[in-house]
Amino acid sequence: MFENLLHKIKSHTLSEEFKRLYHGRGEEEFKFLTLDSIDEILFVQFYEESNYEKDLLDLFKEYIQTSRHNAIIVKRRYGNETFAALGEIPENYTAIENGMKFKLNFLNQNIGYFGDMKNSRKFIESISKDKKVLNLFAYTCGFSLFARRGEAGYIANVDMSKSVLATGMANHQINGLDIKNISFWPYNILKAFPKLKKQAPYDIIIIDPPTHQKGSFIASKDYIKIIKKLPSLSHQNTTLLACINSPAFSKEELINMIESNTSFRFQKQIPNPEEYTNSTLKSLVFNIQ
Ligand SMILES: C[S@@+](CC[C@H](N)C(=O)[O-])C[C@H]1O[C@@H](n2cnc3c(N)ncnc32)[C@H](O)[C@@H]1O
């Protein structure tokens, strides 16, 4: 089984760009493991305790002798522990996606970058020219970076965490992107609809919420609340990108929820990057017809 894993890892062509090398959820073996190449760092995440941890780390130490990596950083998500198995945890480091830099903090539960949204961010870049964009659940503002590179006229990033928005603002700066006409609103979205309306209508609306964040957002009961507000935030030509990453929330359910409560109609699904085997992320585009 270790040979299989090594074979899979070695099949990727690497560069300084972020690359998921192994996505356990979609695999037969090592379902508890993800492995990312982040420029010169090999980033290992264990989602459950396992007897294979030591052998896997030995395997990775051997692998990096011939790869571009010079450090192995390990996150035990089940134990909330991060350590360097080789090298050091850098204080300043970035993940690169299509040439765009994202600041990382390896000590945080989520390090500042989600690679599964790569194709959706490219899509947003391609439609953003001169557009007014509302980026809900902005996190470190990945969509905003690509919207701005795509020459969006105005972007509102909304997230209840001030610290992720601060990283988001820094992400624009390290990429040389002008933050003029970009807002960073630290609101609880479920309570902020009157404020969101002030800049409405938007040409592009992005909804990329967590599935289950206790006390903040529970998709099964809260997603519908945002959908019901869409008419007051949009116009006849608004494009909606609605996302959900949960095995329990199907594509059909999300389409049905949106089509039965608004005039938005499903157009297409943005495919997930191929490395994310069997990912449960659904990224769906809607227009008003
Ligand atoms: C899955 S991440 C979003 C990922 C992001 N769209 C990206 O492209 O990287 C979820 C974010 O939702 C935020 N969040 C959760 N509940 C919220 C709420 N009720 N209002 C505002 N932000 C919320 C969290 O702070 C977190 O940053």
Side-chain angles (χ1 to χ4, degrees):
M1 62 205 288
F2 289 102
E3 279 100 85
N4 271 350
L5 176 64
L6 199 58
H7 182 72
K8 272 193 184 124
I9 296 170
K10 284 188 170 171
S11 68
H12 296 281
T13 309
L14 299 185
S15 68
E16 61 174 13
E17 290 259 327
F18 177 96
K19 185 77 135 186
R20 173 135 301 188
L21 301 179
Y22 193 80
H23 186 71
R25 187 182 265 177
E27 299 284 351
E28 300 268 300
E29 290 158 347
F30 309 118
K31 287 189 182 301
F32 53 87
L33 169 74
T34 63
L35 193 64
D36 297 314
S37 173
I38 315 179
D39 195 0
E40 293 180 348
I41 286 179
L42 188 69
F43 182 46
V44 186
Q45 297 191 80
F46 294 119
Y47 284 76
E48 287 163 29
E49 208 165 352
S50 129
N51 294 333
Y52 292 119
E53 260 189 36
K54 188 182 172 305
D55 290 341
L56 285 168
L57 291 181
D58 286 345
L59 184 80
F60 300 149
K61 281 178 193 163
E62 198 185 309
Y63 160 70
I64 73 162
Q65 287 181 8
T66 53
S67 72
R68 59 178 288 117
H69 310 103
N70 57 26
I72 301 177
I73 297 177
V74 183
K75 190 175 277 293
R76 289 192 178 121
R77 296 189 70 113
Y78 60 85
N80 206 7
E81 194 187 344
T82 307
F83 61 96
L86 211 80
E88 283 175 15
I89 300 177
E91 272 181 33
N92 287 309
Y93 207 72
T94 55
I96 302 179
E97 174 186 298
N98 286 322
M100 193 76 80
K101 293 183 195 145
F102 288 70
K103 276 171 83 68
L104 302 183
N105 183 342
F106 285 101
L107 300 178
N108 289 343
Q109 159 97 340
N110 293 314
I111 64 171
Y113 173 75
F114 292 114
D116 54 358
M117 274 295 170
K118 180 176 176 177
N119 295 343
S120 298
R121 285 189 275 256
K122 196 169 182 190
F123 168 71
I124 290 297
E125 180 176 13
S126 75
I127 62 165
S128 283
K129 193 165 174 20
D130 300 327
K131 297 290 195 292
K132 201 171 186 183
V133 182
L134 177 63
N135 183 19
L136 296 177
F137 306 93
Y139 190 49
T140 54
C141 302
F143 280 111
S144 180
L145 301 175
F146 283 87
R148 180 44 43 111
R149 194 163 82 179
E151 299 178 36
Y154 173 78
I155 306 161
N157 292 295
V158 195
D159 199 291
M160 64 192 288
S161 160
K162 281 189 180 156
S163 70
V164 296
L165 289 178
T167 305
M169 197 185 280
N171 278 340
H172 289 76
Q173 283 152 353
I174 60 170
N175 285 291
L177 295 167
D178 192 354
I179 54 168
K180 195 166 158 239
N181 292 325
I182 303 186
S183 302
F184 299 87
W185 288 336
Y187 305 151
N188 180 338
I189 291 161
L190 297 174
K191 296 181 183 159
F193 292 110
K195 290 178 189 148
L196 303 185
K197 266 187 226 164
K198 283 189 185 153
Q199 291 288 343
Y202 299 92
D203 304 309
I204 299 172
I205 301 176
I206 301 159
I207 313 174
D208 180 23
T211 308
H212 194 107
Q213 193 172 317
K214 215 173 159 211
S216 308
F217 192 86
I218 312 292
S220 55
K221 70 177 178 69
D222 292 329
Y223 213 128
I224 182 81
K225 295 178 189 164
I226 300 181
I227 288 169
K228 286 194 168 161
K229 298 289 180 189
L230 285 175
S232 61
L233 300 172
S234 55
H235 56 65
Q236 279 304 305
N237 291 318
T238 297
T239 298
L240 169 67
L241 178 70
C243 311
I244 189 72
N245 190 353
S246 161
F249 204 131
S250 71
K251 171 183 169 186
E252 289 68 32
E253 200 178 336
L254 187 54
I255 293 175
N256 187 34
M257 194 185 272
I258 291 174
E259 292 196 341
S260 56
N261 286 285
T262 70
S263 315
F264 282 100
R265 294 294 169 262
F266 175 60
Q267 297 300 319
K268 63 176 177 179
Q269 179 165 8
I270 310 282
N272 295 328
E274 61 181 2
E275 305 86 46
Y276 288 79
T277 341
N278 290 352
S279 162
T280 58
L281 172 67
K282 279 80 70 177
S283 195
L284 310 177
V285 181
F286 297 80
N287 288 134
I288 295 176
Q289 285 176 336

Short mmCIF file of all heavy atoms in Angstrom, two decimals, residues 114 117 121 135-140 142-143 158-161 164 187-190 208-210 213 216-217, ligand 1:
data_model
loop_
_atom_site.label_atom_id
_atom_site.label_comp_id
_atom_site.label_asym_id
_atom_site.label_seq_id
_atom_site.Cartn_x
_atom_site.Cartn_y
_atom_site.Cartn_z
N PHE A 114 -7.72 27.38 0.53
CA PHE A 114 -8.43 26.15 0.17
C PHE A 114 -8.24 25.90 -1.34
O PHE A 114 -8.79 26.62 -2.17
CB PHE A 114 -9.94 26.28 0.45
CG PHE A 114 -10.30 26.35 1.91
CD1 PHE A 114 -10.86 27.50 2.45
CD2 PHE A 114 -10.10 25.26 2.76
CE1 PHE A 114 -11.21 27.57 3.79
CE2 PHE A 114 -10.44 25.32 4.10
CZ PHE A 114 -10.99 26.48 4.62
N MET A 117 -11.07 25.37 -4.53
CA MET A 117 -11.81 26.44 -5.21
C MET A 117 -11.08 27.02 -6.43
O MET A 117 -11.52 28.00 -7.02
CB MET A 117 -12.09 27.58 -4.22
CG MET A 117 -13.32 27.38 -3.41
SD MET A 117 -14.77 27.40 -4.50
CE MET A 117 -16.00 26.86 -3.34
N ARG A 121 -12.37 30.16 -8.75
CA ARG A 121 -11.75 31.48 -8.71
C ARG A 121 -11.34 31.93 -10.12
O ARG A 121 -11.46 33.09 -10.48
CB ARG A 121 -10.54 31.46 -7.76
CG ARG A 121 -10.97 31.45 -6.30
CD ARG A 121 -9.79 31.65 -5.36
NE ARG A 121 -9.12 30.40 -5.10
CZ ARG A 121 -9.24 29.71 -3.95
NH1 ARG A 121 -10.00 30.15 -2.99
NH2 ARG A 121 -8.59 28.59 -3.78
N ASN A 135 -18.83 39.12 -2.17
CA ASN A 135 -18.13 37.88 -1.82
C ASN A 135 -18.51 37.50 -0.40
O ASN A 135 -17.92 38.02 0.56
CB ASN A 135 -16.62 38.08 -1.98
CG ASN A 135 -15.82 36.82 -1.70
OD1 ASN A 135 -16.37 35.71 -1.72
ND2 ASN A 135 -14.53 36.97 -1.44
N LEU A 136 -19.51 36.61 -0.25
CA LEU A 136 -19.99 36.24 1.08
C LEU A 136 -19.19 35.06 1.63
O LEU A 136 -18.91 34.13 0.89
CB LEU A 136 -21.48 35.88 1.01
CG LEU A 136 -22.43 37.01 0.61
CD1 LEU A 136 -23.87 36.50 0.51
CD2 LEU A 136 -22.35 38.18 1.59
N PHE A 137 -18.85 35.12 2.92
CA PHE A 137 -17.99 34.13 3.57
C PHE A 137 -16.59 34.19 2.93
O PHE A 137 -16.04 33.20 2.47
CB PHE A 137 -18.58 32.72 3.50
CG PHE A 137 -19.98 32.64 4.04
CD1 PHE A 137 -21.08 32.76 3.19
CD2 PHE A 137 -20.21 32.47 5.39
CE1 PHE A 137 -22.38 32.72 3.68
CE2 PHE A 137 -21.51 32.42 5.90
CZ PHE A 137 -22.60 32.54 5.03
N ALA A 138 -16.06 35.40 2.90
CA ALA A 138 -14.87 35.70 2.08
C ALA A 138 -13.60 35.01 2.56
O ALA A 138 -12.67 34.83 1.78
CB ALA A 138 -14.65 37.21 2.06
N TYR A 139 -13.52 34.68 3.86
CA TYR A 139 -12.31 34.07 4.44
C TYR A 139 -11.11 34.96 4.09
O TYR A 139 -11.15 36.15 4.36
CB TYR A 139 -12.18 32.62 3.93
CG TYR A 139 -11.11 31.78 4.61
CD1 TYR A 139 -10.99 31.72 5.99
CD2 TYR A 139 -10.23 31.03 3.85
CE1 TYR A 139 -10.01 30.95 6.60
CE2 TYR A 139 -9.24 30.25 4.46
CZ TYR A 139 -9.14 30.22 5.83
OH TYR A 139 -8.16 29.45 6.42
N THR A 140 -10.05 34.43 3.47
CA THR A 140 -8.87 35.25 3.18
C THR A 140 -8.96 35.94 1.82
O THR A 140 -7.95 36.33 1.23
CB THR A 140 -7.59 34.40 3.28
OG1 THR A 140 -7.74 33.25 2.42
CG2 THR A 140 -7.35 33.91 4.70
N GLY A 142 -9.87 35.04 -1.28
CA GLY A 142 -9.37 34.45 -2.52
C GLY A 142 -10.18 34.88 -3.74
O GLY A 142 -9.60 35.23 -4.79
N PHE A 143 -11.49 34.87 -3.63
CA PHE A 143 -12.31 35.27 -4.79
C PHE A 143 -12.06 36.74 -5.14
O PHE A 143 -12.07 37.12 -6.31
CB PHE A 143 -13.80 35.05 -4.51
CG PHE A 143 -14.23 33.62 -4.67
CD1 PHE A 143 -14.60 32.85 -3.58
CD2 PHE A 143 -14.27 33.03 -5.93
CE1 PHE A 143 -15.00 31.53 -3.73
CE2 PHE A 143 -14.66 31.71 -6.10
CZ PHE A 143 -15.03 30.96 -4.99
N VAL A 158 -17.24 39.90 2.73
CA VAL A 158 -17.93 39.85 4.02
C VAL A 158 -17.57 38.56 4.75
O VAL A 158 -17.72 37.46 4.20
CB VAL A 158 -19.47 39.91 3.83
CG1 VAL A 158 -20.13 40.24 5.17
CG2 VAL A 158 -19.87 40.90 2.76
N ASP A 159 -17.10 38.73 5.99
CA ASP A 159 -16.79 37.57 6.84
C ASP A 159 -16.84 38.05 8.29
O ASP A 159 -16.42 39.16 8.59
CB ASP A 159 -15.40 37.00 6.53
CG ASP A 159 -15.24 35.58 7.03
OD1 ASP A 159 -15.19 35.39 8.27
OD2 ASP A 159 -15.19 34.64 6.20
N MET A 160 -17.37 37.22 9.18
CA MET A 160 -17.50 37.66 10.56
C MET A 160 -16.17 37.69 11.31
O MET A 160 -16.08 38.27 12.39
CB MET A 160 -18.51 36.79 11.32
CG MET A 160 -18.10 35.37 11.46
SD MET A 160 -19.47 34.34 12.04
CE MET A 160 -19.57 34.89 13.71
N SER A 161 -15.11 37.10 10.72
CA SER A 161 -13.81 37.08 11.38
C SER A 161 -12.95 38.23 10.87
O SER A 161 -12.58 38.30 9.69
CB SER A 161 -13.12 35.73 11.10
OG SER A 161 -11.75 35.86 11.31
N VAL A 164 -9.39 37.03 9.51
CA VAL A 164 -9.25 36.51 8.13
C VAL A 164 -9.35 37.65 7.12
O VAL A 164 -8.66 37.64 6.09
CB VAL A 164 -10.25 35.36 7.79
CG1 VAL A 164 -9.99 34.14 8.63
CG2 VAL A 164 -11.69 35.77 7.82
N TYR A 187 -18.92 41.43 9.16
CA TYR A 187 -20.31 41.24 9.63
C TYR A 187 -20.67 39.77 9.74
O TYR A 187 -20.21 38.93 8.96
CB TYR A 187 -21.31 41.85 8.64
CG TYR A 187 -21.13 43.30 8.28
CD1 TYR A 187 -21.54 43.76 7.03
CD2 TYR A 187 -20.56 44.21 9.18
CE1 TYR A 187 -21.40 45.10 6.68
CE2 TYR A 187 -20.41 45.54 8.83
CZ TYR A 187 -20.83 45.98 7.58
OH TYR A 187 -20.68 47.29 7.22
N ASN A 188 -21.59 39.51 10.67
CA ASN A 188 -22.30 38.23 10.65
C ASN A 188 -23.33 38.34 9.52
O ASN A 188 -24.28 39.14 9.62
CB ASN A 188 -22.98 37.99 12.00
CG ASN A 188 -23.73 36.67 11.99
OD1 ASN A 188 -24.10 36.13 10.94
ND2 ASN A 188 -23.98 36.13 13.18
N ILE A 189 -23.14 37.58 8.48
CA ILE A 189 -23.96 37.74 7.27
C ILE A 189 -25.46 37.58 7.58
O ILE A 189 -26.29 38.30 7.02
CB ILE A 189 -23.49 36.73 6.19
CG1 ILE A 189 -22.10 37.15 5.70
CG2 ILE A 189 -24.48 36.64 5.02
CD1 ILE A 189 -21.30 36.08 5.00
N LEU A 190 -25.77 36.68 8.48
CA LEU A 190 -27.19 36.42 8.76
C LEU A 190 -27.88 37.62 9.42
O LEU A 190 -29.10 37.71 9.44
CB LEU A 190 -27.32 35.17 9.65
CG LEU A 190 -26.80 33.88 9.00
CD1 LEU A 190 -26.83 32.73 10.00
CD2 LEU A 190 -27.60 33.53 7.75
N ASP A 208 -20.08 31.08 -0.37
CA ASP A 208 -19.22 29.91 -0.11
C ASP A 208 -19.13 29.67 1.40
O ASP A 208 -18.08 29.91 2.01
CB ASP A 208 -17.83 30.16 -0.73
CG ASP A 208 -16.89 28.98 -0.49
OD1 ASP A 208 -17.38 27.85 -0.26
OD2 ASP A 208 -15.67 29.19 -0.52
N PRO A 209 -20.22 29.20 2.00
CA PRO A 209 -20.28 29.12 3.47
C PRO A 209 -19.67 27.83 4.02
O PRO A 209 -19.46 26.86 3.27
CB PRO A 209 -21.78 29.13 3.74
CG PRO A 209 -22.36 28.43 2.55
CD PRO A 209 -21.46 28.75 1.38
N PRO A 210 -19.42 27.80 5.33
CA PRO A 210 -19.05 26.51 5.94
C PRO A 210 -20.29 25.63 5.98
O PRO A 210 -21.41 26.13 5.86
CB PRO A 210 -18.63 26.90 7.35
CG PRO A 210 -19.31 28.21 7.62
CD PRO A 210 -19.53 28.88 6.31
N GLN A 213 -20.66 25.44 11.17
CA GLN A 213 -19.78 26.18 12.09
C GLN A 213 -20.64 26.58 13.28
O GLN A 213 -21.51 27.47 13.16
CB GLN A 213 -19.19 27.41 11.38
CG GLN A 213 -18.05 28.04 12.15
CD GLN A 213 -17.35 29.12 11.35
OE1 GLN A 213 -17.07 29.00 10.16
NE2 GLN A 213 -17.06 30.24 12.01
N SER A 216 -22.44 29.93 14.25
CA SER A 216 -22.25 30.93 13.20
C SER A 216 -23.06 30.62 11.94
O SER A 216 -23.74 31.49 11.39
CB SER A 216 -20.79 31.00 12.78
OG SER A 216 -19.98 31.17 13.88
N PHE A 217 -22.98 29.37 11.49
CA PHE A 217 -23.68 29.01 10.25
C PHE A 217 -23.87 27.50 10.17
O PHE A 217 -22.90 26.75 10.19
CB PHE A 217 -22.90 29.49 9.02
CG PHE A 217 -23.68 29.40 7.75
CD1 PHE A 217 -24.52 30.43 7.35
CD2 PHE A 217 -23.60 28.26 6.94
CE1 PHE A 217 -25.26 30.35 6.19
CE2 PHE A 217 -24.34 28.17 5.78
CZ PHE A 217 -25.17 29.21 5.39
C1 LIG B 1 -15.40 27.85 3.94
S1 LIG B 1 -14.75 29.35 4.53
C2 LIG B 1 -14.96 30.28 3.09
C3 LIG B 1 -13.87 30.04 2.05
C4 LIG B 1 -13.65 31.19 1.12
N1 LIG B 1 -14.83 31.55 0.38
C5 LIG B 1 -12.49 30.92 0.16
O1 LIG B 1 -12.65 31.07 -1.06
O2 LIG B 1 -11.38 30.58 0.59
C6 LIG B 1 -16.02 29.87 5.63
C7 LIG B 1 -15.90 31.30 6.22
O3 LIG B 1 -17.21 31.65 6.69
C8 LIG B 1 -17.08 32.53 7.80
N2 LIG B 1 -18.38 32.54 8.49
C9 LIG B 1 -19.02 31.51 9.08
N3 LIG B 1 -20.25 31.89 9.51
C10 LIG B 1 -20.39 33.20 9.17
C11 LIG B 1 -21.44 34.15 9.32
N4 LIG B 1 -22.59 33.83 9.91
N5 LIG B 1 -21.23 35.40 8.84
C12 LIG B 1 -20.06 35.74 8.25
N6 LIG B 1 -19.04 34.88 8.07
C13 LIG B 1 -19.19 33.62 8.52
C14 LIG B 1 -15.91 31.98 8.57
O4 LIG B 1 -15.33 32.99 9.36
C15 LIG B 1 -14.98 31.48 7.42
O5 LIG B 1 -14.02 32.46 7.11
#
